[in-house]
Amino acid sequence: MKSKGSAKAERGDQGGPAEETAVMHPEQLPTGNECILLVDDEQALIDLSRDLLGRLGYRVETRASPIDAFRSNSQKYDLVISDMTMPKMTGDEMARQMKAIRLEIPIILCSGFSDRIHAQAMEAIGISAVLMKPVIYADLAHTVRRVLDACLIIGGEGGLHWDELDEGVSEKGLLSGVGDRAKPHRKAS
């Protein structure tokens, strides 16, 4: 009786090093232990995001009234991640109110509508990054870590600047998804 092996083994194919590496060593995603305030009006997205960020080591809190929670203890949070479009308050309005409480808090907005995201407006508010929905797990992991590592006020001395993107990245590239295609970077000193 013939043993059941893979089609490759039956054909005599050998998996190359790249294939073995991809299977045995998936991409290492950046991790952390910071506290993130997660704001969204869809419970399923909150649960999924909390689980994904928790797997990366982050402490994630969600609040029905994020402004009140932030106002009562703004120093507790290292980062805010919010949906852009919510019924009671938009993400950019929430960001304005949080920045009035604590200017240096980094904020990532998530949106499914690129026509509602304008780079100059996001810079003026002090948004650290924008992720387009559906958000890819690796993009979320890398963006969160990059924003937390920067911990700089956008537009401030040495801060992140929307207009200082890697060469060849247009404003549309910035707003159509984050990942490695759009990396705001530190201003040269």
Side-chain angles (χ1 to χ4, degrees):
M1 177 175 219
K2 194 174 185 181
S3 70
K4 292 185 177 180
S6 71
K8 285 184 177 186
E10 289 179 18
R11 291 192 313 262
D13 293 350
Q14 298 293 321
E19 181 179 324
E20 290 172 12
T21 301
V23 173
M24 295 169 40
H25 305 288
E27 176 187 7
Q28 291 294 319
L29 296 176
T31 61
N33 61 2
E34 291 89 349
C35 186
I36 298 173
L37 177 58
L38 180 65
V39 183
D40 201 306
D41 60 319
E42 295 183 44
Q43 189 61 46
L45 289 176
I46 287 174
D47 293 341
L48 177 62
S49 298
R50 182 178 35 228
D51 181 56
L52 294 175
L53 290 165
R55 289 179 189 196
L56 295 170
Y58 297 105
R59 293 172 285 124
V60 181
E61 294 189 12
T62 60
R63 295 285 183 256
S65 180
I67 296 296
D68 292 339
F70 191 77
R71 184 176 290 117
S72 69
N73 191 1
S74 68
Q75 295 304 314
K76 177 179 185 178
Y77 304 105
D78 299 299
L79 173 67
V80 175
I81 301 175
S82 176
D83 187 17
M84 179 66 166
T85 307
M86 297 177 289
K88 293 181 181 179
M89 180 184 302
T90 62
D92 55 340
E93 179 55 34
M94 185 198 68
R96 280 185 193 92
Q97 289 186 29
M98 288 182 170
K99 290 285 187 173
I101 297 166
R102 184 174 149 213
L103 184 61
E104 76 280 1
I105 185 71
I107 299 174
I108 297 173
L109 289 182
C110 302
S111 179
F113 304 99
S114 63
D115 60 328
R116 294 187 183 177
I117 306 291
H118 302 286
Q120 289 178 333
M122 295 298 105
E123 180 178 2
I125 296 168
I127 301 303
S128 302
V130 174
L131 286 170
M132 297 307 297
K133 291 182 178 180
V135 177
I136 297 168
Y137 185 40
D139 286 347
L140 175 66
H142 288 287
T143 301
V144 166
R145 186 73 262 152
R146 186 171 52 246
V147 167
L148 286 168
D149 287 346
C151 283
L152 299 170
I153 300 169
I154 292 179
E157 184 60 35
L160 301 175
H161 294 270
W162 288 85
D163 60 343
E164 295 182 321
L165 300 174
D166 292 340
E167 283 186 31
V169 178
S170 65
E171 180 177 300
K172 182 156 177 60
L174 170 67
L175 300 177
S176 63
V178 179
D180 288 332
R181 292 179 294 144
K183 290 192 238 180
H185 55 80
R186 291 185 181 163
K187 186 176 178 180
S189 300

